[in-house]
């Protein structure tokens, strides 16, 4: 029986090891690219199909192969999905880091939205002291940019917060601010706001 030399065995083992390394790197590279693609695809789903975006994000998890930028992207998109769905953000402990990351990098598309997101986060963390101050800061940013839609969004969030606290006086005051910014030509929307104002005036006892 022909004997195999130790050198031949070493070469075979080395070849096997190299094949294993190549396959591992190729597989991990494919998985990484696939996860990056899934992450990018969730961008367009955040508002229209947040449920689908959340399922896709949960399917890949916070990939250890993600760069820091990709991790912040993942954290942001998951928090946005949860926010739109009205689900708790209390467990999203990395959100403040992601918000700070985008603010420091001058991401104007996320800057104003970051205040709404953080206000929602503080709400779920029972940080009532932070909710209104965060919404007010966002409103100021939107006002500087003359973005009426965003300004109304912040006021709507404040009105909802006051309503949930049964603080009807502040709810009324906030709805009045919304009316000042609203388009009177949109009769349906404006009439709805007037009706809502009357309802909360009645609840506040100031009608």
């Amino acid at each position: 029986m022909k004997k195999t030399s130790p050198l031949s065995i070493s070469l075979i083992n080395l070849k096997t090891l190299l094949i294993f390394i190549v396959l591992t790197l190729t597989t991990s590279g494919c998985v990484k690219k696939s996860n990056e693609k899934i992450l990018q695809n969730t961008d367009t789903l955040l508002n229209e199909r947040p449920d689908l975006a959340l399922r896709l994000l949960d399917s890949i998890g916070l990939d250890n192969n993600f760069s820091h930028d990709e991790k912040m992207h993942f954290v942001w998109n998951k928090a946005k999905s949860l926010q739109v769905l009205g689900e708790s953000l209390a467990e999203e402990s990395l959100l403040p880091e992601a918000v700070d990351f985008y603010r420091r990098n001058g991401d104007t598309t996320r800057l104003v939205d970051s205040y709404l997101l953080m206000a929602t986060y503080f709400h779920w963390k029972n940080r009532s002291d932070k909710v209104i101050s965060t919404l007010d800061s966002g409103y100021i940013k939107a006002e500087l940019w003359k973005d009426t839609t965003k300004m109304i969004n912040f006021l709507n969030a404040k009105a909802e917060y006051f309503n949930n606290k049964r603080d009807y006086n502040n709810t009324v005051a906030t709805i009045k601010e919304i009316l000042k910014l609203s388009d009177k030509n949109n009769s349906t929307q404006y009439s709805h706001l007037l009706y809502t104002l009357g309802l909360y005036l009645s609840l506040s006892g100031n009608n």
Side-chain angles (χ1 to χ4, degrees), residues 3 26 41 47 50 53 58-59 82 105 111 122 142 154 156 161 165 193 195 199:
K3 292 183 179 180
T26 302
N41 286 340
N47 293 314
D58 285 341
S59 73
L82 291 169
N105 283 276
L111 181 60
F122 287 133
F154 284 111
N156 278 326
Y161 175 79
K165 293 288 185 181
L193 280 170
Y195 171 80
L199 177 63

Side-chain angles (χ1 to χ4, degrees), residues 52-102:
L52 179 55
L54 189 58
R55 285 204 299 271
L56 287 171
L57 291 167
D58 285 341
S59 73
I60 60 176
L62 195 53
D63 191 337
N64 290 327
N65 292 315
F66 279 159
S67 65
H68 182 260
D69 288 17
E70 289 164 343
K71 285 180 180 178
M72 295 299 95
H73 188 180
F74 177 93
V75 170
W76 176 277
N77 280 15
K78 185 175 181 183
K80 282 289 293 182
S81 298
L82 291 169
Q83 181 192 38
V84 177
L85 290 168
E87 296 185 17
S88 174
L89 271 67
E91 302 300 317
E92 304 308 302
S93 58
L94 291 175
L95 180 58
E97 181 183 348
V99 166
D100 182 62
F101 169 78
Y102 286 117

Side-chain angles (χ1 to χ4, degrees), residues 99-123:
V99 166
D100 182 62
F101 169 78
Y102 286 117
R103 287 179 183 174
R104 283 188 290 103
N105 283 276
D107 190 324
T108 55
T109 60
R110 289 183 172 93
L111 181 60
V112 176
D113 282 344
S114 72
Y115 291 94
L116 280 171
L117 202 53
M118 282 305 296
T120 306
Y121 173 76
F122 287 133
H123 164 72

